[in-house]
Amino acid sequence: MGSGQAVVVFGAYGHTGRFVVAELRDRGFVPVLSGRDAGKLEALAESFPGLEVRPASAGDPASLDRALAGAAAVVNCAGPFAATAAPVIEAALRAGVPYVDVAAEIEANADTFAHFAGRARNAGAAVVPAMAFFGGLGDLLATAAMGDWTAADEVHVAYGLSGWRPTTGTRASGAVSHERRDGRRVRFTGGKLEYHHDALPSVKWAFPEPMGVRPVIGEFSMADVVTIPSHLAVPEVRSYMTVEAVEDLSAPGTPAPAAADERGRSDQTFLVEVVVRSGGEERRATASGRDIYAVSAPLAVEAVDRVLTGRTRATGVASAGQIFDSADFLHALSAHLSFELRR
Ligand SMILES: NC(=O)c1ccc[n+]([C@@H]2O[C@H](COP(=O)([O-])OP(=O)(O)OC[C@H]3O[C@@H](n4cnc5c(N)ncnc54)[C@H](OP(=O)(O)O)[C@@H]3O)[C@@H](O)[C@H]2O)c1
């Protein structure tokens, strides 16, 4: 349980930021509401009486320093992260506090490792990128499935989403990534990110029942292609996405997610299956639950809690699977997702 420590949420009034604020409060932390729009922060504070509002802008380091003053950690929920990750990490390093973000932008996630690994390690700071559904969960599952293996030939991450109503932030982040790639696609093969123009393969994935065999789009690369190989010796990381979700995401008219329960979660469901293969042997791990945005909050807040209580295995820039005990972390989220290892 959090011990009344202040945790800044940058991008607090976004769809995901609101789930993170609520989760922090439920777990005994004191969220500090930050972001670039003072009016939207004040409006959010009306739903969370008593919480402090600290407007700040990614382009104004002094405002970020004021936002982080006296806080124990910062969670960055403001995406596209191409614009926010580096300035907020810089501020976290200046303040000497851990940084966690929910970025699902492959290039921005890779930049975080490339630009901050040395400085964060030298400072003994924890910087945890992609600590959310995409990037974090797949990495935790892959690491848990690996168990005592130190290397594998392949990791496959299959996303069984019932559908995908994207938020404005998801669409904006997708557009920024598309632009950064010059319209190319990206996959992780031969031990590195490879940019290409090949059509994505349509294949089938046999999810555990009751989902069963479903058509999926292969090489639908998510942040897992950065997080998993950042610490696991594996030359091939592939991800797959159910066709319904890809169609929803690519249709310009798909509405944003709508609350369908008292916690504000939508009725979207997910089943993520990770398969790791090594020398003809195979190990699997699965997680299932509801609402990929909502579940990102317990993932990020569990990370904050573990960093603040010293339950970590690394310092510097580190993905979920590297810095935490993966299986223990996933079991701790039993109120939010069902986790199973299949060996
Ligand atoms: N890894 C995952 O699984 C995962 C899960 C959830 C979300 N995400 C990512 O998190 C981000 C937010 O998603 P969301 O669903 O919360 O979207 P959202 O509801 O549209 O919220 C986006 C938030 O980011 C803020 N923002 C955007 N650009 C900013 C900038 N340059 N400076 C300061 N604030 C900025 C927005 O503020 P304004 O209203 O002022 O623009 C808003 O508060 C997206 O990049 C999304 O891909 C990833």
Side-chain angles (χ1 to χ4, degrees):
M1 248 344 235
S3 52
Q5 287 164 297
V7 177
V8 176
V9 182
F10 188 65
Y13 52 79
H15 185 76
T16 309
R18 287 164 188 266
F19 283 116
V20 171
V21 170
E23 182 71 17
L24 282 165
R25 201 190 48 169
D26 289 352
R27 290 189 54 163
F29 292 99
V30 179
V32 175
L33 311 179
S34 191
R36 63 179 168 185
D37 188 317
K40 290 183 186 174
L41 288 171
E42 292 295 349
L44 176 64
E46 283 174 22
S47 329
F48 293 98
L51 295 188
E52 199 182 336
V53 164
R54 297 188 189 172
S57 144
D60 179 356
S63 71
L64 288 170
D65 289 347
R66 286 193 295 275
L68 268 56
V74 57
V75 183
N76 185 3
C77 298
F81 290 86
T84 68
V88 182
I89 294 170
E90 293 282 4
L93 292 175
R94 286 194 299 276
V97 300
Y99 168 93
V100 170
D101 76 33
V102 301
E105 287 157 58
I106 291 167
E107 288 73 17
N109 294 135
D111 281 351
T112 295
F113 281 96
H115 298 160
F116 292 101
R119 280 172 59 200
R121 193 176 47 246
N122 292 342
V127 172
V128 191
M131 192 55 254
F133 180 78
F134 292 115
L137 180 58
D139 185 28
L140 289 165
L141 288 168
T143 312
M146 292 270 289
D148 58 355
W149 289 357
T150 54
D153 301 325
E154 300 165 7
V155 174
H156 300 267
V157 184
Y159 289 101
L161 306 189
S162 59
W164 188 348
R165 291 179 158 214
T167 61
T168 306
T170 295
R171 288 196 187 279
S173 295
V176 166
S177 293
H178 184 78
E179 204 171 299
R180 290 187 74 176
R181 288 171 203 159
D182 291 328
R184 293 170 299 168
R185 300 191 166 103
V186 62
R187 60 189 164 213
F188 188 85
T189 184
K192 59 180 181 11
L193 290 176
E194 178 183 275
Y195 288 87
H196 65 93
H197 284 290
D198 300 347
L200 298 183
S202 291
V203 291
K204 288 198 168 19
W205 186 273
F207 289 96
E209 293 299 343
M211 187 173 274
V213 177
R214 300 291 287 272
V216 294
I217 303 297
E219 296 182 9
F220 196 85
S221 297
M222 305 306 291
D224 314 295
V225 299
V226 176
T227 54
I228 292 171
S230 73
H231 68 105
L232 297 175
V234 51
E236 304 291 326
V237 179
R238 309 249 166 80
S239 33
Y240 307 79
M241 181 65 71
T242 34
V243 164
E244 297 90 328
V246 176
E247 286 174 353
D248 281 352
L249 186 62
S250 31
T254 305
D261 73 6
E262 70 293 341
R263 286 156 65 181
R265 299 184 304 177
S266 71
D267 56 11
Q268 178 198 43
T269 58
F270 65 81
L271 169 58
V272 186
E273 181 168 49
V274 171
V275 178
V276 296
R277 296 201 178 107
S278 178
E281 260 190 83
E282 190 174 278
R283 294 176 172 180
R284 288 172 186 256
T286 57
S288 57
R290 180 170 174 173
D291 192 335
I292 63 174
Y293 295 96
V295 81
S296 292
L299 284 161
V301 174
E302 180 70 20
V304 168
D305 197 358
R306 285 179 181 242
V307 171
L308 291 177
T309 51
R311 289 175 289 154
T312 53
R313 298 173 154 185
T315 50
V317 181
S319 67
Q322 181 180 10
I323 193 166
F324 303 119
D325 176 335
S326 298
D328 188 64
F329 190 114
L330 289 164
H331 283 303
L333 293 186
S334 60
H336 305 279
L337 52 80
S338 305
F339 160 58
E340 213 176 316
L341 277 176
R342 295 157 196 256
R343 293 227 169 117

